[in-house]
């Protein structure tokens, strides 16, 4: 599972708020100790020290939570103001995805060409030649590329000059 930085920050902020709730529970223990033990006792002094330390940490954590919420609000507002990116720049990885798909397609086209030539020269067994390297298969390949482009990039543009058959062989 992959989460965005925003989702991680929101979860962390919620966790920090839960920490402040835990501080409240510990503070209740120190308050009970302060009420139970005499003022000149060691447990009373430890409870005072614990209460002061908790108040300091509670303030730090609470300030951090408020700061994170403000940052998240600012980031959300900024994201809403920003113009949407073009379909081919939806995220930093889209160029990498496009390059990987292009490389795979170049490889597939190369093999389709080889198989087509072997089929035309009757160098393939009949059970292979029946469905490989044909113009219909080439058309199906182009259609599947359009579907993939539409799903990933919001456009069925295949990019670059595509070789469509002009003359049936």
């Amino acid at each position: 599972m992959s989460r965005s930085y925003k989702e991680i920050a929101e979860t962390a902020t919620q966790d920090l708020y839960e920490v402040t709730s835990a501080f409240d529970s510990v503070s209740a223990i120190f308050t009970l100790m302060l009420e139970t033990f005499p003022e000149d006792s060691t447990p009373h002094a430890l409870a005072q020290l614990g209460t002061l330390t908790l108040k300091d940490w509670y303030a730090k954590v609470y300030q951090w939570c408020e700061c994170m919420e403000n940052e998240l609000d600012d980031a959300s507002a900024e994201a809403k103001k920003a113009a949407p990116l073009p379909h081919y720049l939806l995220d930093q990885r889209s160029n990498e995805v496009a390059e990987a798909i292009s490389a795979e397609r170049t490889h597939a086209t190369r093999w389709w060409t080889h198989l087509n030539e072997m089929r035309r020269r009757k160098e393939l067994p009949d059970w292979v030649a029946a469905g490989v390297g044909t113009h219909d298969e080439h058309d199906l390949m182009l259609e599947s590329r359009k579907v993939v482009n539409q799903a990933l990039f919001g456009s069925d543009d295949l990019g670059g000059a595509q070789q469509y058959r002009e003359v049936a062989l």
Side-chain angles (χ1 to χ4, degrees), residues 84-101:
L85 294 173
H87 70 277
Y88 51 87
L89 293 176
L90 289 176
D91 63 34
Q92 294 175 337
R93 296 172 57 182
S94 64
N95 286 335
E96 294 170 9
V97 170
E99 288 174 12
I101 290 172

Side-chain angles (χ1 to χ4, degrees), residues 116-155:
N116 185 41
E117 290 300 315
M118 290 176 74
R119 180 186 57 81
R120 290 181 64 216
R121 290 189 304 255
K122 304 209 183 297
E123 294 174 352
L124 293 174
D126 290 338
W127 64 273
V128 175
V132 243
T134 64
H135 289 296
D136 289 338
E137 185 186 25
H138 186 261
D139 292 344
L140 284 173
M141 179 176 64
L142 292 177
E143 285 304 312
S144 68
R145 286 180 178 186
K146 287 181 182 179
V147 170
V148 168
N149 284 6
Q150 185 67 44
L152 291 177
F153 307 113
S155 170

Side-chain angles (χ1 to χ4, degrees), residues 45-67:
L46 289 174
Q48 283 179 325
L49 180 62
T51 300
L52 291 173
T53 302
L54 267 181
K55 285 181 181 177
D56 184 45
W57 275 104
Y58 182 90
K60 287 177 185 177
V61 171
Y62 193 77
Q63 287 172 351
W64 179 246
C65 288
E66 286 182 331
C67 177

